[in-house]
Amino acid sequence: MLVKYKKSNNKVAMGLLSFTAMQHKVDTLQMTIQKYEEDPNWQLYLWKENDDFIGLIGVELNEYTFTVHHASVIPSYRNEGIGHKMVDKIQQLHEPLAMCSSYQMKDFLGKCWRSFHPI
Ligand SMILES: CC(C)(COP(=O)(O)OP(=O)(O)OC[C@H]1O[C@@H](n2cnc3c(N)ncnc32)[C@H](O)[C@@H]1OP(=O)(O)O)[C@@H](O)C(=O)NCCC(=O)NCCS
């Protein structure tokens, strides 16, 4: 299930965020987490299963849309559908806002979109 990020989850969130592109340096990671902690329009969620945090998804809220900036799943849980579930839940959570993608998320979100809306 998706749970809202809390400061007490800082280390696990930094670990998950470090899997995403552009987040390999500790300074960059800290700045990104700080943005999610301080800007109310930037919201971070963790995916929790059996008491473990195994995924992360971060969005920025706009007036009529929201943008997915980050998503990651720990490597041993990848390709089990967790990424798709996170995208589905984050969309449900923010309805009726339309989901948009950051440049770095576009390929994965495109894949999710095609599997949610098969022709
Ligand atoms: C992207 C990510 C969150 C997907 O999570 P996941 O739980 O493995 O995803 P799912 O199991 O729901 O979907 C797996 C499918 O997505 C594909 N996929 C994974 N990463 C992808 C990407 N960056 N672009 C396009 N497709 C991707 C897989 O190849 C797989 O395809 P298949 O079903 O045709 O075999 C995960 O691979 C990850 O943490 N990657 C590192 C961080 C990252 O690159 N994040 C995205 C940019 S911020």
Side-chain angles (χ1 to χ4, degrees):
M1 64 175 185
L2 269 191
V3 294
K4 193 94 186 278
Y5 166 80
K6 289 190 261 179
K7 277 194 181 184
S8 55
N9 306 133
N10 180 282
K11 287 213 165 61
V12 73
M14 293 255 284
L16 282 158
L17 205 52
S18 71
F19 294 123
T20 66
M22 316 289 287
Q23 300 289 339
H24 299 304
K25 290 190 177 163
V26 174
D27 292 4
T28 319
L29 271 174
Q30 277 166 344
M31 278 168 56
T32 306
I33 287 280
Q34 200 175 347
K35 183 88 183 155
Y36 281 115
E37 287 179 348
E38 293 177 359
D39 186 333
N41 289 328
W42 283 64
Q43 300 194 353
L44 194 58
Y45 293 85
L46 297 169
W47 186 262
K48 192 175 185 184
E49 273 185 17
N50 304 323
D51 286 338
D52 292 323
F53 293 113
I54 58 175
L56 161 152
I57 187 161
V59 301
E60 177 188 7
L61 304 185
N62 309 299
E63 194 175 355
Y64 302 111
T65 62
F66 71 96
T67 302
V68 183
H69 284 284
H70 301 102
S72 93
V73 169
I74 62 173
S76 52
Y77 285 90
R78 285 185 196 162
N79 296 309
E80 293 180 9
I82 293 166
H84 279 68
K85 281 194 234 171
M86 292 197 302
V87 170
D88 190 26
K89 291 287 176 198
I90 207 85
Q91 170 75 85
Q92 288 175 21
L93 205 60
H94 292 97
E95 271 168 5
L97 301 184
M99 184 163 62
C100 299
S101 178
S102 66
Y103 181 76
Q104 60 180 354
M105 283 299 307
K106 69 178 175 37
D107 293 337
F108 183 64
L109 286 187
K111 184 165 193 101
C112 292
W113 180 259
R114 287 189 294 279
S115 63
F116 297 152
H117 304 278
I119 300 169

